[in-house]
Amino acid sequence: MKTLKLLFEKNLAWASAIKDKDPEFFSLLSKQQNPEYLWIGCSDSRVPANQIVDLAPGELFVHRNIANLVVHTDLNCLSVIQYAVEALKVKHIIVCGHYGCGGIKASMDKGVNGLVDNWLRHVKDISRFNAEELKGLGQKQKFDRLCELNVIEQVANVCKTDMVQRAWEAGAELDVHGWIYNIENGILKDLDNSITSNGQLEEKHGMYELT
Ligand code: CO
C-alpha cells in the first residue's frame, strides 16, 4: 500500500518550523478558532486560500467547490456560511473566483464531463442572465468576464441567504466581498462590488426581490 510518505515528511517539517518560531502556536490554537474571514473559493489546486492571502491556520474559515458557487439549496455551503456568521461571527465573507477557471470554461462548452456538468448548469444560468453583455465579446474576453460575473452573482447569493439577512437585521457588521485571482501572476483583484447592507444589494443587483 502506498502511504504517501513524502506528505507525512512534509507535514512534520511544516509543523516543526511553526513550533520553532512559536512553541505555543498549536496548543493555543487547539483551544479555539477565531477567524475574521470566511473564504468561499474554487477547488482548483492553483488557488489555495490561506497561501494566497498569507494567513496562518486559525485566521481563515474556508469553503471551496468547483467554480466557487453559492447555490441556494447547497446544504454544505449554507452550513459553512451559517457557522461562520452565527458561531464564529466573521466580519467578512470573501467570494474569490479566478481567471482560467476550468469549471467556468467547461460551462461554456457542450457538457461532456458527466455529473459535474449538472453543477455547472448554475454557471450557464449566469451566462444567460448576462447574455447581452457577453454577446459581443471574443472567446477569451468572454471567458474572463464570465469568471468575474460569476463572482458578482455569488456575492449576491451569499447576501440573500437567511443567515446574512438575519445578521444584517440584527445590526451585525458583515461585509460580503467579490474578488478574483489571477493564476498567471498570483495577484488578487477586488471586483469592487462589496455589499454591506440590503440597500447596497438593491443598488447593485436591482433585479433581486427584497423582502
Ligand atoms: Co476554478
Side-chain angles (χ1 to χ4, degrees), residues 126-138 141-150 152-153 191 207:
I126 295 164
S127 290
R128 199 172 70 245
F129 301 156
N130 296 279
E132 264 312 296
E133 179 181 346
L134 295 170
K135 195 169 57 183
L137 302 179
Q141 282 172 305
K142 190 177 167 186
F143 183 19
D144 286 349
R145 186 59 184 146
L146 188 54
C147 290
E148 295 173 352
L149 289 170
N150 179 49
I152 292 166
E153 187 74 20
L191 286 172
M207 72 289 224

Side-chain angles (χ1 to χ4, degrees), residues 42 44 98 101-102:
C42 184
D44 193 307
H98 66 105
C101 181

Side-chain angles (χ1 to χ4, degrees), residues 41-44 46-47 65-68 97-104:
C42 184
S43 297
D44 193 307
R46 298 165 295 180
V47 193
N65 61 42
I66 292 177
N68 42 271
H98 66 105
Y99 296 116
C101 181
I104 304 288

